[in-house]
Amino acid sequence: MKEVEKLMNYRSDVRVIDATLRDGGLVNDFFFSDEFVKALYLTNIRAGVDYMEFGYKASRELFDETKYGKWKFCRDEDIRKIVGENPTDLKIAVMADVGRCDYKKDILPKQESPIDLIRVATYINTIPTAVQMIEDAAAKGYETTCNIMALSNSQEADVKAALEILAQTPVNCLYIVDSYGALYPEQIARVADMFCSVAEKYNKKVGIHAHNNQQLAFANTIEAVGDGVDWLDATYANMGRGAGNCAMELLLGFLRNPKYNIYPAVQFIESYMNPLKEQGITWGYDAQYLITGILNQHPRTAIAFTKEKRTDYAEFYKELVVHDD
């Protein structure tokens, strides 16, 4: 059982990261208006959020720029149009996906960029490239995290080996990522113990990025807080790929640090997030995401189910579990 003070008190090391533009951008292909992004930036400042993730540094050779909004690519000049020189305590982050980012040319030296943090996203089988990307970003002057995706589909021995390799790089924070929304709080506790044991040895931080397929993103995040995880991802109105993420408003309401303020989050949801849903942009928990979460599968099939406006959940379940010999 958690010690009460770990949940009821606050730790000065906790950091809240807003991933609305990045994970939410997977819902609408990153087509957010500048007004929306500016309002989100100002909301994060008022709410006391520590980092705002603007989107991806995706390769313009791999991805057709005409099919995506600008936050798929996060050019420095586009970020500057929103934040200027960012004379605030809010730090700016972007995600660089292994194999989908021309990081050597698209990530400029820190002194030339408004970005503070590069979040490297990797699978277990691409750890060597992730190491190169972390070292490149650190050499350019950035803070770095490494987000190890699809942990629920990875062997524990492989995860431990990956953590040992990554922890010996300049990375600042190692991230638990429940990509499929398949993990339960009891499992998060064990995974957090594994991450924190390695992180403590090498003086690193641990973060969590949870998905809401089984309506456990918030529960798993606060479980991780009680287990010593410090960096916490969330999105406003839980906007994110498929079932979405841990809701920012829930997290801010839970954390006891007086620097965090839930009221601006509530205002932003009313003024900007609800209108997105009224426009027909769809995300959040539904039975199809529950099914992929329980089966520990990537939600791409559930996303397709949603786009096709299907409601035959039982047939969808059969499609995923019944295979021809």
Side-chain angles (χ1 to χ4, degrees), residues 198-218:
V198 175
E200 184 176 357
K201 184 165 62 170
Y202 293 97
N203 196 29
K204 308 296 184 181
K205 295 296 184 181
V206 177
I208 183 168
H209 180 88
H211 278 264
N212 205 39
N213 297 62
Q214 300 185 80
Q215 301 226 54
L216 289 171
F218 176 57

Side-chain angles (χ1 to χ4, degrees), residues 15-33:
R15 299 290 181 268
V16 173
I17 294 84
D18 167 38
T20 306
L21 283 187
R22 201 272 305 166
D23 215 316
L26 297 169
V27 177
N28 68 348
D29 293 327
F30 304 90
F31 286 110
F32 295 100
S33 69

Side-chain angles (χ1 to χ4, degrees), residues 2 35 43 105 107 175 177 180 188 275 282-283 291 299 309:
K2 299 288 178 297
E35 178 194 353
T43 295
K105 97 178 158 182
I107 298 176
Y175 254 86
V177 184
Y180 303 161
I188 290 291
T282 303
W283 74 87
I291 292 167
K309 300 188 183 303

Side-chain angles (χ1 to χ4, degrees), residues 185-315:
E186 295 86 349
Q187 294 169 297
I188 290 291
R190 293 196 294 272
V191 173
D193 181 67
M194 182 193 345
F195 272 67
C196 289
S197 294
V198 175
E200 184 176 357
K201 184 165 62 170
Y202 293 97
N203 196 29
K204 308 296 184 181
K205 295 296 184 181
V206 177
I208 183 168
H209 180 88
H211 278 264
N212 205 39
N213 297 62
Q214 300 185 80
Q215 301 226 54
L216 289 171
F218 176 57
N220 284 339
T221 300
I222 64 174
E223 168 66 40
V225 172
D227 295 324
V229 171
D230 286 327
W231 289 42
L232 314 173
D233 283 17
T235 62
Y236 289 88
N238 87 292
M239 185 184 190
R241 184 202 65 198
N245 303 102
C246 174
M248 178 67 78
E249 58 275 19
L250 285 172
L251 185 60
L252 294 179
F254 166 79
L255 293 171
R256 300 303 191 264
N257 190 331
K259 73 167 285 194
Y260 299 123
N261 183 2
I262 192 174
Y263 183 61
V266 174
Q267 289 180 303
F268 184 78
I269 290 166
E270 177 184 342
S271 299
Y272 289 94
M273 301 308 296
N274 288 346
L276 286 184
K277 289 199 168 185
E278 291 166 5
Q279 293 165 23
I281 298 173
T282 303
W283 74 87
Y285 170 82
D286 207 341
Q288 63 270 30
Y289 297 116
L290 166 68
I291 292 167
T292 58
I294 288 173
L295 296 175
N296 193 17
Q297 294 185 12
H298 193 289
R300 61 175 63 90
T301 52
I303 292 169
F305 178 99
T306 305
K307 287 182 177 178
E308 293 165 12
K309 300 188 183 303
R310 290 174 59 182
T311 56
D312 54 334
Y313 302 116
E315 182 61 30

